[in-house]
Amino acid sequence: MNKKYMKEAYKEAVKAYKNDEVPVGVVIVKDDKIIARAYNKVEKEKDATKHAEIIAISKASKKLKNWRLNDCDLYVTLEPCMMCKTAIELARIRNVYYCVDKSENDIFKSNFNKIDDYKKESLNLLKDFFKERR
């Protein structure tokens, strides 16, 4: 990991903060150069998908003219949400570095509640499903 890239991601987070957005910033790096930078624009764009990671992935893909970002690293100030983690995986980003873990504090509330009832049964059902189809 390179501190200078996290510093650049932090600068993007400050921009988000100044624009009344959740202060998350991202940079994407390839061959030791920043190829994309972004911050959250959910409020500005009135779009729940306008997270910094999604915007940066889109910019990097356009710059490289390829949706595969295999040799790229992503630096983000907050641990990515499920949507962004999926986009990062689909884009095949090599490494992700973040500095704030969502579980470190309770400023991020979730409406997801784990229930262990039927866990074993549900897991077996999933295993059987994929076993039969692979």
Side-chain angles (χ1 to χ4, degrees):
M1 189 192 88
N2 193 317
K3 282 185 179 182
K4 74 178 179 180
Y5 298 131
M6 193 57 79
K7 182 178 181 181
E8 292 302 312
Y10 176 76
K11 288 179 183 178
E12 293 298 309
V14 171
K15 291 178 189 176
Y17 182 86
K18 289 179 179 178
N19 285 290
D20 291 325
E21 298 281 354
V22 175
V24 177
V26 172
V27 296
I28 296 179
V29 177
K30 180 178 171 65
D31 299 328
D32 213 28
K33 292 181 184 163
I34 294 173
I35 61 166
R37 56 178 67 234
Y39 60 88
N40 277 355
K41 293 186 177 179
V42 172
E43 297 299 328
K44 180 183 179 193
E45 301 289 331
K46 308 288 187 251
D47 184 340
T49 67
K50 295 299 182 183
H51 289 199
E53 298 94 329
I54 303 295
I55 296 167
I57 288 169
S58 180
K59 287 179 176 182
S61 295
K62 284 179 185 169
K63 180 161 186 132
L64 297 178
K65 296 182 173 80
N66 194 339
W67 62 270
R68 293 177 190 89
L69 304 176
N70 302 60
D71 298 325
C72 296
D73 297 322
L74 185 145
Y75 292 78
V76 59
T77 57
L78 176 65
E79 177 186 4
C81 70
M82 287 185 285
M83 173 184 70
C84 292
K85 283 179 182 177
T86 301
I88 290 165
E89 288 175 7
L90 291 171
R92 302 179 183 170
I93 290 174
R94 179 176 54 195
N95 293 304
V96 176
Y97 302 100
Y98 64 92
C99 53
V100 175
D101 187 335
K102 286 184 179 182
S103 65
E104 286 179 12
N105 56 61
D106 61 334
I107 59 172
F108 299 98
K109 304 289 185 203
S110 173
N111 62 345
F112 290 87
N113 302 290
K114 186 173 183 212
I115 298 174
D116 286 329
D117 297 343
Y118 293 96
K119 177 180 177 179
K120 182 179 175 184
E121 294 87 344
S122 296
L123 181 59
N124 286 335
L125 188 65
L126 285 164
K127 284 180 179 179
D128 290 346
F129 176 83
F130 287 110
K131 189 179 190 181
E132 291 170 7
R133 284 159 179 81
R134 289 186 179 162

